[in-house]
Amino acid sequence: MHMSRNINNSVIQEKMTDGSGKIKEFALVFAAYTLLTLILTYPVILRFSTHFMGDGGDGFQNIWNMWWLKTALTERLTDPYSTSHLHYPNGVTLLFQSLSPFNGLISIPLQFMFGMKVAYNLVAVFSFIMSGVGMYFFAQYLIGHRLAAFIAGIIYTFSPYHFAHGLGHLQLVAMEWMPFFVLYLFKIFREGGTRNTLLATVFLILTTLCSWYYLIYALFFTAIFVIYGLIVQRKAFLESGVLNRLVVMLLLLFIVMSPLTGRMIFAKFTQEFTGAPNPEIDSADVTSFFVPSGMWFKSVWSKWSGNRAENSNFLGYIAFGLSIYALVRIPQSHFWGVAGAFFWLMALGPYLTVAGAQIRFPLPYLLFHNYLPFFSFAGVPGRFDVMLKFCMAILTAYAVFDLIAIYLPGTNEWLSFYPHPETERARLIQVHWRMSGLEILSVTLTGILICAEYLAIPYATTTVDVPQYYRQLADDPDEYGVIDLPTGPLTLYYATIHKKPIVGGHVSRLPQKASDFLEETPIIATLMRGGTPPPSDQIDDALAMLGEYNIRYVITHNDQHQPFLEDVLMLMNVYDQEGIKVYDFRHREVSSDDGSASDDDKASEDREVEESNVPSIDPEVAEKQAEALIQSVLRAIGSWGSRLTRRELNKVIQSQFLSFFSDTDQDKIKQLQSQFEVYDTDGDRRLTPEEVTKVILNQP
């Protein structure tokens, strides 16, 4: 039952409009979520200045993004959406990079004051705190109960989705502006006014500057909001003038973002890009919503497609149960059930996947993927889960509010989801300012239980021992390119230390011409794509080409390329410490007294070229090469995703295995390829790294 509250309206109105009261409330809520964030991300607070929050991986790309925005805007005074510091010498566009300008911009003064580690951690922690604060104020506006609103903030900001992407996807951690956008979207309808329209636009722009994914989700939410309003309360919705205000909001968004979106559209139609995710792989598994992603449940989640972060969708049994309760008992919550169901379906991707098995049953995502322009660039369906958690947060708050009304009567009164605008302007939403100790105790217990279900302690942190050589490069004032092997996310972090342009480097969407450069340029193709070494009579020309490109050094972290660099190219090793070897493309070792190679030396060199990639029969050498081969393939898997189909793996074999076998040794390559059929007869099942390792070791 819902009972009215005996609270003086004028007092409530005064408290709601009291600026100092709002500031105090904001400070208190901010402090509360700060405390919870520091507890639930333990031991991040103890390693704040020595470690990065997260497990490395994609996090290093976001570290590079922050460094590059600072470098481009404060040092080079150049366009941050184009760089030659990656994929040197031609450079690459960053229009489709996970650049997250908001995160980058607020990090600039922090980088100057505290350095990269603290700056990165502050930005990440800020997103956790403000996501909770934003949801609190929206839920309070919608429902009118502080404690219920605080529970909503807990569910939204401490959900498994947020913790999982906090391991490295800083652009997805920044979901703090979505609640503020939705708050002012509702105010546009309920209260009208130019101020609310402008604020909704501001928060939509901020959401966009955090992640393009979140712009798409916000637009989908707006569409659901409009359609539901037209169906449920068509007359009130049309009379409110909300449609006109939404048109103004979208027009302002277009004007502000058009300099960037215009360039993106032009690039989309004039260039070919690679690296878009496969939505069939990165879809949410149905079972992922009901199974925690902790190690206790590895036997279940290890069967899911894609990687673990994209399937950390656990709803939490308490939040899920309270959401169902709200939908059954409270009519005002039905909008959130409709919106949540839509986002859940979208998270499932183009086809249904249950316990790792894909059922070729088409879902709504497939329609948008095939027919909505640019939608394919948001090719990770599982990330729609953030909006499901948004809806669940509000549903849970409704349930908490209702249960308090039942067991602690005399406290609450419901308002319709779409109250008449004039009535709303006169009364607004009543705020429950006086709460009993029993209320506080019961809601606190609920919050603790929800946090326990979402618990991710100890939260991952990462530190990197940077070889001193990278700092020496940073001290060199000359501008030139380097090749850092093996390429991967850590390469990007090293680039923020040595500050030299690098050949290659991971970007979210790689132009095909940049990929072609890596595959077709002699020496670079051998080192970075596993291509065939250039013939001995073309090596001088290949090295001269690198000189023209001003590519000076190659840095290696293992011995994989040592035979090619030392025996074939005969490069001079200029640094060999701290686990890295550095070779200078400008200087070659010579074998004769006069500085030139004799005919016998050249003949010997030709033989070495033929033999340099053939595995040694020495067991110790063979064992080292096998281990290097395994690591090479696993790194390649990392660049493709957490798993590969046999078809994809065959491409890896052709590129990576040629670094170990000669062109004439095709039997070994075919034998390795055929062994994968033991695991995969149709070429479509995903192979785990463990299965790959077994195949390489001939243990199917």
Side-chain angles (χ1 to χ4, degrees):
M1 60 186 296
H2 305 123
M3 304 188 65
S4 62
R5 295 173 290 183
N6 297 320
I7 302 178
N8 187 291
N9 250 356
S10 61
V11 174
I12 294 171
Q13 289 280 18
E14 182 180 353
K15 285 183 176 288
M16 291 186 68
T17 56
D18 182 2
S20 62
K22 277 297 182 184
I23 293 174
K24 291 178 181 178
E25 183 180 5
F26 176 87
L28 181 63
V29 173
F30 189 92
Y33 283 113
T34 298
L35 179 61
L36 280 176
T37 298
L38 298 181
I39 293 173
L40 296 176
T41 59
Y42 177 86
V44 170
I45 185 60
L46 301 181
R47 304 172 180 177
F48 215 77
S49 62
T50 59
H51 291 62
F52 289 105
M53 181 176 173
D55 62 357
D58 287 345
F60 291 127
Q61 182 185 35
N62 281 288
I63 291 168
W64 186 92
N65 290 342
M66 291 169 59
W67 170 83
W68 171 244
L69 273 172
K70 170 180 169 289
T71 300
L73 297 178
T74 67
E75 298 177 19
R76 296 180 175 269
L77 304 180
T78 189
D79 174 18
Y81 283 95
S82 180
T83 183
S84 61
H85 268 258
L86 298 180
H87 289 272
Y88 184 83
N90 298 321
V92 68
T93 178
L94 299 178
L95 289 170
F96 302 102
Q97 174 83 327
S98 56
L99 207 54
S100 191
F102 174 80
N103 287 338
L105 290 172
I106 66 172
S107 78
I108 291 175
L110 300 175
Q111 290 184 59
F112 279 117
M113 289 187 291
F114 306 114
M116 181 59 78
K117 287 188 177 71
V118 173
Y120 181 91
N121 292 336
L122 283 172
V123 171
V125 167
F126 172 81
S127 292
F128 272 88
I129 297 168
M130 282 303 296
S131 294
V133 171
M135 179 55 75
Y136 167 86
F137 280 107
F138 172 56
Q140 187 199 67
Y141 174 82
L142 190 67
I143 298 172
H145 193 276
R146 283 173 156 183
L147 292 180
F150 195 81
I151 293 295
I154 287 176
I155 292 173
Y156 182 62
T157 196
F158 300 126
S159 66
Y161 171 93
H162 211 187
F163 280 134
H165 290 290
L167 296 176
H169 297 152
L170 193 62
Q171 77 279 14
L172 300 178
V173 175
M175 58 193 207
E176 61 264 29
W177 304 121
M178 186 71 76
F180 289 100
F181 163 68
V182 177
L183 168 62
Y184 284 96
L185 178 65
F186 272 68
K187 283 192 172 188
I188 285 177
F189 170 67
R190 290 183 167 190
E191 303 172 24
T194 302
R195 176 179 178 273
N196 289 330
T197 303
L198 291 176
L199 285 173
T201 304
V202 168
F203 286 117
L204 183 57
I205 292 171
L206 288 174
T207 298
T208 305
L209 293 177
C210 289
S211 171
W212 291 108
Y213 279 93
Y214 291 164
L215 170 64
I216 293 173
Y217 302 164
L219 293 179
F220 270 115
F221 183 90
T222 303
I224 297 170
F225 180 83
V226 171
I227 293 170
Y228 190 89
L230 291 174
I231 293 174
V232 174
Q233 284 189 326
R234 180 181 182 85
K235 182 178 179 181
F237 200 83
L238 292 175
E239 289 178 352
S240 69
V242 64
L243 295 180
N244 293 334
R245 298 186 191 102
L246 291 180
V247 169
V248 172
M249 179 189 75
L250 295 176
L251 182 61
L252 291 174
L253 172 71
F254 174 78
I255 292 172
V256 173
M257 300 304 299
S258 59
L260 188 55
T261 55
R263 294 173 62 186
M264 294 174 70
I265 294 171
F266 180 79
K268 169 70 174 175
F269 288 103
T270 58
Q271 298 184 52
E272 182 180 354
F273 290 87
T274 65
N278 184 341
E280 292 188 37
I281 298 172
D282 293 315
S283 300
D285 194 294
V286 172
T287 58
S288 69
F289 295 96
F290 304 99
V291 178
S293 56
M295 295 305 296
W296 288 354
F297 301 92
K298 184 177 180 180
S299 61
V300 179
W301 56 253
S302 61
K303 299 176 183 178
W304 299 336
S305 63
N307 62 60
R308 182 179 170 191
E310 305 296 356
N311 261 306
S312 293
N313 305 317
F314 180 49
L315 301 175
Y317 298 119
I318 295 173
F320 179 67
L322 289 173
S323 297
I324 297 299
Y325 171 90
L327 290 171
V328 171
R329 181 174 169 79
I330 306 167
Q332 291 87 345
S333 70
H334 289 173
F335 166 79
W336 299 99
V338 171
F342 172 81
F343 289 118
W344 178 70
L345 284 173
M346 292 296 285
L348 295 177
Y351 299 103
L352 191 65
T353 304
V354 182
Q358 188 182 81
I359 302 171
R360 302 297 288 185
F361 180 81
L363 296 173
Y365 185 95
L366 185 64
L367 182 67
F368 293 108
H369 180 77
N370 289 339
Y371 298 107
L372 190 64
F374 285 92
F375 187 76
S376 60
F377 273 84
V380 184
R383 294 175 181 176
F384 273 94
D385 178 56
V386 65
M387 297 305 295
L388 172 58
K389 296 301 191 296
F390 190 109
C391 296
M392 279 187 57
I394 297 299
L395 287 170
T396 302
Y398 269 115
V400 170
F401 187 50
D402 190 70
L403 289 170
I404 290 174
I406 293 174
Y407 294 105
L408 300 170
T411 58
N412 302 310
E413 175 187 354
W414 287 110
L415 299 176
S416 65
F417 179 76
Y418 286 111
H420 191 277
E422 293 301 325
T423 302
E424 184 65 15
R425 289 191 186 97
R427 184 160 60 102
L428 297 178
I429 292 182
Q430 295 183 354
V431 179
H432 183 202
W433 294 96
R434 296 180 181 178
M435 295 170 286
S436 69
L438 186 58
E439 260 186 276
I440 296 174
L441 180 62
S442 59
V443 175
T444 299
L445 180 60
T446 302
I448 291 173
L449 292 175
I450 291 172
C451 288
E453 283 198 292
Y454 293 164
L455 199 62
I457 293 175
Y459 202 69
T461 59
T462 301
T463 189
V464 179
D465 293 326
V466 179
Q468 184 60 31
Y469 182 77
Y470 288 114
R471 305 189 191 281
Q472 295 178 17
L473 281 182
D475 293 335
D476 187 347
D478 291 349
E479 186 82 2
Y480 49 81
V482 300
I483 300 175
D484 199 348
L485 302 172
T487 59
L490 190 55
T491 307
L492 296 177
Y493 177 62
Y494 288 144
T496 69
I497 304 299
H498 62 66
K499 299 179 173 57
K500 302 300 183 189
I502 60 173
V503 179
H506 177 70
V507 294
S508 301
R509 302 292 183 271
L510 181 64
Q512 185 61 51
K513 63 180 182 180
S515 179
D516 292 343
F517 176 84
L518 298 178
E519 294 179 357
E520 297 172 0
T521 306
I523 298 179
I524 291 177
T526 304
L527 294 172
M528 305 189 70
R529 286 292 189 265
T532 304
S536 58
D537 60 349
Q538 297 179 15
I539 288 177
D540 288 341
D541 292 338
L543 289 171
M545 182 182 298
L546 296 184
E548 293 176 2
Y549 289 142
N550 197 21
I551 300 172
R552 186 172 297 182
Y553 299 113
V554 56
I555 305 167
T556 66
H557 293 257
N558 56 47
D559 295 332
Q560 175 184 345
H561 299 287
Q562 183 176 351
F564 174 64
L565 294 170
E566 294 185 359
D567 301 334
V568 178
L569 299 183
M570 295 194 301
L571 296 181
M572 181 179 294
N573 180 204
V574 297
Y575 190 91
D576 188 358
Q577 297 179 40
E578 302 177 281
I580 66 172
K581 291 184 178 181
V582 182
Y583 299 88
D584 191 333
F585 284 121
R586 300 170 300 171
H587 302 290
R588 302 180 67 190
E589 301 282 2
V590 293
S591 56
S592 62
D593 294 338
D594 61 359
S596 60
S598 65
D599 292 339
D600 290 339
D601 290 333
K602 291 179 179 179
S604 175
E605 180 182 70
D606 291 338
R607 287 193 298 272
E608 289 177 358
V609 171
E610 296 174 357
E611 297 171 0
S612 61
N613 291 323
V614 180
S616 170
I617 59 175
D618 184 340
E620 292 186 4
V621 176
E623 182 179 356
K624 290 182 179 179
Q625 287 197 331
E627 176 63 25
L629 179 57
I630 292 171
Q631 295 302 319
S632 175
V633 173
L634 294 184
R635 282 193 300 273
I637 291 175
S639 67
W640 284 74
S642 62
R643 300 185 180 198
L644 298 176
T645 65
R646 178 164 55 84
R647 292 192 182 99
E648 293 168 340
L649 198 48
N650 282 343
K651 294 182 68 175
V652 175
I653 290 172
Q654 289 291 351
S655 64
Q656 299 293 322
F657 285 27
L658 284 175
S659 298
F660 297 87
F661 302 123
S662 65
D663 291 338
T664 59
D665 206 353
Q666 293 295 318
D667 290 340
K668 287 187 175 68
I669 296 176
K670 290 179 180 178
Q671 181 181 4
L672 284 165
Q673 290 174 330
S674 66
Q675 289 175 17
F676 285 98
E677 297 178 4
V678 174
Y679 293 98
D680 178 24
T681 56
D682 59 7
D684 289 326
R685 193 175 76 79
R686 316 303 291 183
L687 292 168
T688 67
E690 289 79 8
E691 291 170 336
V692 172
T693 302
K694 287 182 179 179
V695 171
I696 295 172
L697 296 177
N698 197 17
Q699 299 174 1

